Amino acid sequence: MPLADAKQSDAPAKRERAHVGAVRVIAPARLHLGFLDLNGDLGRMFGSIGLAVDVPRTELVLKRSQTFKGEGPDHARALATLRKLADAYNLPAGYEVKVTSAIPAHAGLGSGTQMALAAGAALMTLEGIDHIPSRLGEMVNRGARSAIGMAAFEQGGFIVDGGRGELDRAPPILVRANFPVAWRALLVMDPGTAGVHGDDETNAFAALPPLPADAAAHVCRLVLMQLVPGLMEEDIAAFGDALTEIQKVVGNHFASAQGGSPWTSPGVGRVVDALRAAGGVGIGQSSWGPTGFAFAPSQEIARRLYDSAIEVARREGLEILIAEGRNRGASVEKIANT
């Protein structure tokens, strides 16, 4: 929607706006499970595989204020988004944001995108402005390589996007499916390590050579003929085998930018290996990490895997979370004036 159109407001929207005192948004983390094509000779680059998960999450409450102010973890990111959107939509008011929980920054879980979208959606809802997450994401410079963060915010579930083409817009969503309700993801978190981000990420991508075309073709075939069918048929063995192989191809390609290892955090790699030895499937690292993951077919088995690896994790100074797939997008709740 053009910004000029977005600035127009009809009477019903104004009446609704007067009754909304605050807005609460809860946004899910997302796992980045790999890229489809890091070669680009077909005219499209990247292509991402992702999954929305219920933990960790970002939660904030936004209300009007005389000035811009905030509190809570990572609130500076939320304020930056609010200022940018308030300027773009010519909104005269200030805003107060309270962040009660935030996805850890630079952990490979989409923290920046989810915080920006959460703050943006809260502002648009508070002011009665129609919006869509992909448009908000583009306005706050998200989705440069992947649309899975925006799709996770909007729809949740398992997502595959089609990568960047010639058009200056977020990649199209090719697949969106519910993640099996019984399945669990075990997330191995390293609070002491940050994944590559910002200018370093841009430079790292620029320095990477193209992935050989046959390797990209192998990944695409794995996604289309094993990973997605395994998900649809709830065959976790097929899903896990495909994902482990995809992660091997992509991880080895990125190793040169991660000190020669597919793992940003060697400790995370050791814990994920312990989970695999105990029966975890679909192992790998989310985005640039350091968060690693493994999957289990049920809560009971996930708990057993957790118990088998938690002492190893604690010795490494790491944490393990058991997450469910989130098959719905962010929740946006209007809080009435009192």
Side-chain angles (χ1 to χ4, degrees):
M1 173 170 40
L3 290 185
D5 295 341
K7 291 176 184 178
Q8 300 175 10
S9 176
D10 57 19
K14 289 179 181 178
R15 287 196 296 270
E16 181 181 4
R17 175 187 182 277
H19 289 91
V20 179
V23 176
R24 177 182 290 108
V25 180
I26 300 174
R30 66 95 182 104
L31 297 178
H32 192 290
L33 303 177
F35 286 110
L36 300 180
D37 190 343
L38 292 167
N39 181 279
D41 63 352
L42 295 179
R44 304 195 72 87
M45 192 70 174
F46 305 115
S48 295
I49 313 160
L51 173 66
V53 290
D54 67 334
V55 291
R57 68 187 193 180
T58 288
E59 180 174 357
L60 59 81
V61 175
L62 180 73
K63 62 182 181 180
R64 298 180 191 89
S65 175
Q66 295 300 311
T67 60
F68 286 92
K69 55 185 178 180
E71 63 178 278
D74 219 11
H75 71 269
R77 280 185 174 185
L79 284 174
T81 295
L82 294 170
R83 288 191 175 98
K84 184 167 188 175
L85 292 176
D87 180 66
Y89 284 89
N90 196 28
L91 300 172
Y95 297 92
E96 179 180 350
V97 61
K98 181 177 181 180
V99 181
T100 54
S101 66
I103 299 163
H106 314 311
L109 296 171
S111 62
T113 296
Q114 299 308 305
M115 182 64 79
L117 291 177
L123 178 61
M124 300 294 101
T125 303
L126 187 66
E127 300 299 356
I129 301 171
D130 290 337
H131 65 281
I132 56 174
S134 59
R135 176 62 177 141
L136 280 178
E138 290 170 357
M139 290 178 66
V140 293
N141 301 320
R142 312 310 301 184
R145 301 178 187 88
S146 167
I148 60 172
M150 291 180 287
F153 185 91
E154 185 172 16
Q155 306 177 63
F158 173 87
I159 304 147
V160 180
D161 77 39
R164 297 284 297 199
E166 294 182 357
L167 299 177
D168 186 21
R169 62 178 60 167
I173 301 302
L174 306 182
V175 176
R176 190 276 166 199
N178 281 346
F179 191 74
V181 173
W183 291 8
R184 297 291 184 267
L186 291 101
L187 311 183
V188 183
M189 316 278 289
D190 184 346
T193 301
V196 177
H197 60 278
D199 290 342
D200 289 341
E201 181 182 22
T202 301
N203 295 335
F205 271 111
L208 285 173
L211 184 71
D214 58 348
H218 179 48
V219 169
C220 290
R221 183 174 176 225
L222 286 166
V223 170
L224 188 61
M225 300 305 295
Q226 189 174 9
L227 185 75
V228 173
L231 179 85
M232 298 288 196
E233 296 180 348
E234 300 195 12
D235 180 349
I236 198 169
F239 174 88
D241 287 349
L243 183 53
T244 299
E245 178 64 14
I246 291 165
Q247 282 281 312
K248 179 180 177 182
V249 173
V250 175
N252 287 340
H253 185 66
F254 278 89
S256 61
Q258 298 179 153
S261 169
W263 303 99
T264 294
S265 166
V268 167
R270 288 188 285 271
V271 175
V272 171
D273 282 343
L275 290 170
R276 177 171 55 180
V281 301
I283 62 102
Q285 174 179 281
S286 182
S287 187
W288 290 100
T291 302
F293 55 77
F295 289 88
S298 69
Q299 174 69 24
E300 179 183 1
I301 294 175
R303 187 69 206 186
R304 190 176 72 210
L305 292 172
Y306 174 95
D307 290 340
S308 73
I310 188 59
E311 291 306 319
V312 177
R314 286 170 177 162
R315 287 197 297 270
E316 298 278 359
L318 310 181
E319 303 169 358
I320 303 176
L321 299 179
I322 298 176
E324 300 180 22
R326 182 179 170 99
N327 289 323
R328 65 190 189 281
S331 67
V332 181
E333 175 191 358
K334 298 176 183 176
I335 303 171
N337 273 315
T338 59

PDB file of all heavy atoms in Angstrom, residues 197-215:
ATOM      1  N   HIS A 197      26.191 -11.002  11.993  1.00  0.00           N
ATOM      2  CA  HIS A 197      25.045 -10.131  11.759  1.00  0.00           C
ATOM      3  C   HIS A 197      25.520  -8.779  11.260  1.00  0.00           C
ATOM      4  O   HIS A 197      26.710  -8.467  11.270  1.00  0.00           O
ATOM      5  CB  HIS A 197      24.226  -9.956  13.045  1.00  0.00           C
ATOM      6  CG  HIS A 197      24.998  -9.361  14.180  1.00  0.00           C
ATOM      7  ND1 HIS A 197      25.823 -10.119  14.995  1.00  0.00           N
ATOM      8  CD2 HIS A 197      25.087  -8.076  14.635  1.00  0.00           C
ATOM      9  CE1 HIS A 197      26.382  -9.337  15.902  1.00  0.00           C
ATOM     10  NE2 HIS A 197      25.959  -8.104  15.706  1.00  0.00           N
ATOM     11  N   GLY A 198      24.560  -7.965  10.796  1.00  0.00           N
ATOM     12  CA  GLY A 198      24.869  -6.611  10.364  1.00  0.00           C
ATOM     13  C   GLY A 198      25.822  -6.578   9.184  1.00  0.00           C
ATOM     14  O   GLY A 198      25.725  -7.378   8.245  1.00  0.00           O
ATOM     15  N   ASP A 199      26.761  -5.633   9.216  1.00  0.00           N
ATOM     16  CA  ASP A 199      27.721  -5.489   8.120  1.00  0.00           C
ATOM     17  C   ASP A 199      28.570  -6.734   7.959  1.00  0.00           C
ATOM     18  O   ASP A 199      28.955  -7.095   6.831  1.00  0.00           O
ATOM     19  CB  ASP A 199      28.614  -4.275   8.354  1.00  0.00           C
ATOM     20  CG  ASP A 199      27.869  -2.959   8.211  1.00  0.00           C
ATOM     21  OD1 ASP A 199      26.778  -2.959   7.605  1.00  0.00           O
ATOM     22  OD2 ASP A 199      28.372  -1.939   8.720  1.00  0.00           O
ATOM     23  N   ASP A 200      28.884  -7.403   9.070  1.00  0.00           N
ATOM     24  CA  ASP A 200      29.678  -8.627   8.978  1.00  0.00           C
ATOM     25  C   ASP A 200      28.935  -9.695   8.185  1.00  0.00           C
ATOM     26  O   ASP A 200      29.554 -10.444   7.412  1.00  0.00           O
ATOM     27  CB  ASP A 200      30.004  -9.161  10.380  1.00  0.00           C
ATOM     28  CG  ASP A 200      31.020  -8.300  11.109  1.00  0.00           C
ATOM     29  OD1 ASP A 200      31.735  -7.518  10.444  1.00  0.00           O
ATOM     30  OD2 ASP A 200      31.104  -8.403  12.352  1.00  0.00           O
ATOM     31  N   GLU A 201      27.619  -9.763   8.358  1.00  0.00           N
ATOM     32  CA  GLU A 201      26.832 -10.731   7.596  1.00  0.00           C
ATOM     33  C   GLU A 201      26.844 -10.384   6.112  1.00  0.00           C
ATOM     34  O   GLU A 201      27.032 -11.256   5.255  1.00  0.00           O
ATOM     35  CB  GLU A 201      25.395 -10.775   8.116  1.00  0.00           C
ATOM     36  CG  GLU A 201      24.519 -11.775   7.376  1.00  0.00           C
ATOM     37  CD  GLU A 201      23.092 -11.770   7.869  1.00  0.00           C
ATOM     38  OE1 GLU A 201      22.664 -10.765   8.462  1.00  0.00           O
ATOM     39  OE2 GLU A 201      22.393 -12.778   7.651  1.00  0.00           O
ATOM     40  N   THR A 202      26.641  -9.119   5.802  1.00  0.00           N
ATOM     41  CA  THR A 202      26.664  -8.676   4.405  1.00  0.00           C
ATOM     42  C   THR A 202      27.997  -9.005   3.761  1.00  0.00           C
ATOM     43  O   THR A 202      28.060  -9.518   2.626  1.00  0.00           O
ATOM     44  CB  THR A 202      26.397  -7.159   4.324  1.00  0.00           C
ATOM     45  OG1 THR A 202      25.119  -6.878   4.900  1.00  0.00           O
ATOM     46  CG2 THR A 202      26.412  -6.683   2.889  1.00  0.00           C
ATOM     47  N   ASN A 203      29.085  -8.727   4.466  1.00  0.00           N
ATOM     48  CA  ASN A 203      30.422  -9.008   3.934  1.00  0.00           C
ATOM     49  C   ASN A 203      30.670 -10.503   3.794  1.00  0.00           C
ATOM     50  O   ASN A 203      31.324 -10.942   2.839  1.00  0.00           O
ATOM     51  CB  ASN A 203      31.484  -8.378   4.837  1.00  0.00           C
ATOM     52  CG  ASN A 203      31.421  -6.860   4.847  1.00  0.00           C
ATOM     53  OD1 ASN A 203      30.942  -6.244   3.899  1.00  0.00           O
ATOM     54  ND2 ASN A 203      31.892  -6.237   5.923  1.00  0.00           N
ATOM     55  N   ALA A 204      30.148 -11.281   4.747  1.00  0.00           N
ATOM     56  CA  ALA A 204      30.332 -12.730   4.681  1.00  0.00           C
ATOM     57  C   ALA A 204      29.629 -13.317   3.459  1.00  0.00           C
ATOM     58  O   ALA A 204      30.186 -14.163   2.748  1.00  0.00           O
ATOM     59  CB  ALA A 204      29.816 -13.387   5.959  1.00  0.00           C
ATOM     60  N   PHE A 205      28.404 -12.867   3.203  1.00  0.00           N
ATOM     61  CA  PHE A 205      27.696 -13.343   2.014  1.00  0.00           C
ATOM     62  C   PHE A 205      28.444 -12.950   0.741  1.00  0.00           C
ATOM     63  O   PHE A 205      28.547 -13.726  -0.203  1.00  0.00           O
ATOM     64  CB  PHE A 205      26.272 -12.795   1.979  1.00  0.00           C
ATOM     65  CG  PHE A 205      25.269 -13.652   2.693  1.00  0.00           C
ATOM     66  CD1 PHE A 205      24.674 -13.217   3.862  1.00  0.00           C
ATOM     67  CD2 PHE A 205      24.924 -14.903   2.197  1.00  0.00           C
ATOM     68  CE1 PHE A 205      23.745 -13.998   4.530  1.00  0.00           C
ATOM     69  CE2 PHE A 205      23.999 -15.693   2.854  1.00  0.00           C
ATOM     70  CZ  PHE A 205      23.407 -15.250   4.021  1.00  0.00           C
ATOM     71  N   ALA A 206      28.969 -11.719   0.719  1.00  0.00           N
ATOM     72  CA  ALA A 206      29.682 -11.246  -0.463  1.00  0.00           C
ATOM     73  C   ALA A 206      30.950 -12.053  -0.720  1.00  0.00           C
ATOM     74  O   ALA A 206      31.356 -12.241  -1.874  1.00  0.00           O
ATOM     75  CB  ALA A 206      30.019  -9.764  -0.301  1.00  0.00           C
ATOM     76  N   ALA A 207      31.573 -12.524   0.350  1.00  0.00           N
ATOM     77  CA  ALA A 207      32.836 -13.253   0.210  1.00  0.00           C
ATOM     78  C   ALA A 207      32.642 -14.725  -0.130  1.00  0.00           C
ATOM     79  O   ALA A 207      33.574 -15.381  -0.608  1.00  0.00           O
ATOM     80  CB  ALA A 207      33.645 -13.130   1.502  1.00  0.00           C
ATOM     81  N   LEU A 208      31.461 -15.262   0.113  1.00  0.00           N
ATOM     82  CA  LEU A 208      31.225 -16.677  -0.165  1.00  0.00           C
ATOM     83  C   LEU A 208      31.210 -16.932  -1.667  1.00  0.00           C
ATOM     84  O   LEU A 208      30.572 -16.197  -2.420  1.00  0.00           O
ATOM     85  CB  LEU A 208      29.899 -17.139   0.434  1.00  0.00           C
ATOM     86  CG  LEU A 208      29.824 -17.347   1.937  1.00  0.00           C
ATOM     87  CD1 LEU A 208      28.390 -17.629   2.353  1.00  0.00           C
ATOM     88  CD2 LEU A 208      30.730 -18.506   2.371  1.00  0.00           C
ATOM     89  N   PRO A 209      31.880 -17.973  -2.125  1.00  0.00           N
ATOM     90  CA  PRO A 209      31.780 -18.330  -3.546  1.00  0.00           C
ATOM     91  C   PRO A 209      30.399 -18.911  -3.829  1.00  0.00           C
ATOM     92  O   PRO A 209      29.700 -19.341  -2.910  1.00  0.00           O
ATOM     93  CB  PRO A 209      32.872 -19.392  -3.712  1.00  0.00           C
ATOM     94  CG  PRO A 209      32.969 -20.031  -2.361  1.00  0.00           C
ATOM     95  CD  PRO A 209      32.718 -18.925  -1.370  1.00  0.00           C
ATOM     96  N   PRO A 210      29.972 -18.930  -5.088  1.00  0.00           N
ATOM     97  CA  PRO A 210      28.688 -19.570  -5.403  1.00  0.00           C
ATOM     98  C   PRO A 210      28.724 -21.058  -5.046  1.00  0.00           C
ATOM     99  O   PRO A 210      29.745 -21.734  -5.223  1.00  0.00           O
ATOM    100  CB  PRO A 210      28.551 -19.378  -6.917  1.00  0.00           C
ATOM    101  CG  PRO A 210      29.465 -18.247  -7.255  1.00  0.00           C
ATOM    102  CD  PRO A 210      30.607 -18.346  -6.280  1.00  0.00           C
ATOM    103  N   LEU A 211      27.620 -21.549  -4.495  1.00  0.00           N
ATOM    104  CA  LEU A 211      27.491 -22.981  -4.264  1.00  0.00           C
ATOM    105  C   LEU A 211      27.432 -23.671  -5.617  1.00  0.00           C
ATOM    106  O   LEU A 211      26.718 -23.196  -6.518  1.00  0.00           O
ATOM    107  CB  LEU A 211      26.219 -23.260  -3.471  1.00  0.00           C
ATOM    108  CG  LEU A 211      25.957 -24.711  -3.058  1.00  0.00           C
ATOM    109  CD1 LEU A 211      26.926 -25.134  -1.961  1.00  0.00           C
ATOM    110  CD2 LEU A 211      24.522 -24.868  -2.562  1.00  0.00           C
ATOM    111  N   PRO A 212      28.170 -24.757  -5.834  1.00  0.00           N
ATOM    112  CA  PRO A 212      28.084 -25.448  -7.120  1.00  0.00           C
ATOM    113  C   PRO A 212      26.635 -25.769  -7.492  1.00  0.00           C
ATOM    114  O   PRO A 212      25.826 -26.115  -6.629  1.00  0.00           O
ATOM    115  CB  PRO A 212      28.904 -26.719  -6.890  1.00  0.00           C
ATOM    116  CG  PRO A 212      29.889 -26.337  -5.828  1.00  0.00           C
ATOM    117  CD  PRO A 212      29.151 -25.383  -4.928  1.00  0.00           C
ATOM    118  N   ALA A 213      26.330 -25.659  -8.765  1.00  0.00           N
ATOM    119  CA  ALA A 213      24.954 -25.845  -9.228  1.00  0.00           C
ATOM    120  C   ALA A 213      24.425 -27.235  -8.883  1.00  0.00           C
ATOM    121  O   ALA A 213      23.242 -27.390  -8.547  1.00  0.00           O
ATOM    122  CB  ALA A 213      24.866 -25.601 -10.733  1.00  0.00           C
ATOM    123  N   ASP A 214      25.280 -28.256  -8.946  1.00  0.00           N
ATOM    124  CA  ASP A 214      24.791 -29.601  -8.636  1.00  0.00           C
ATOM    125  C   ASP A 214      24.455 -29.739  -7.147  1.00  0.00           C
ATOM    126  O   ASP A 214      23.526 -30.470  -6.781  1.00  0.00           O
ATOM    127  CB  ASP A 214      25.789 -30.670  -9.069  1.00  0.00           C
ATOM    128  CG  ASP A 214      27.159 -30.529  -8.428  1.00  0.00           C
ATOM    129  OD1 ASP A 214      27.445 -29.472  -7.815  1.00  0.00           O
ATOM    130  OD2 ASP A 214      27.966 -31.475  -8.547  1.00  0.00           O
ATOM    131  N   ALA A 215      25.168 -29.018  -6.277  1.00  0.00           N
ATOM    132  CA  ALA A 215      24.842 -29.050  -4.849  1.00  0.00           C
ATOM    133  C   ALA A 215      23.520 -28.337  -4.585  1.00  0.00           C
ATOM    134  O   ALA A 215      22.693 -28.808  -3.801  1.00  0.00           O
ATOM    135  CB  ALA A 215      25.960 -28.406  -4.042  1.00  0.00           C
TER     136      ALA A 215
END
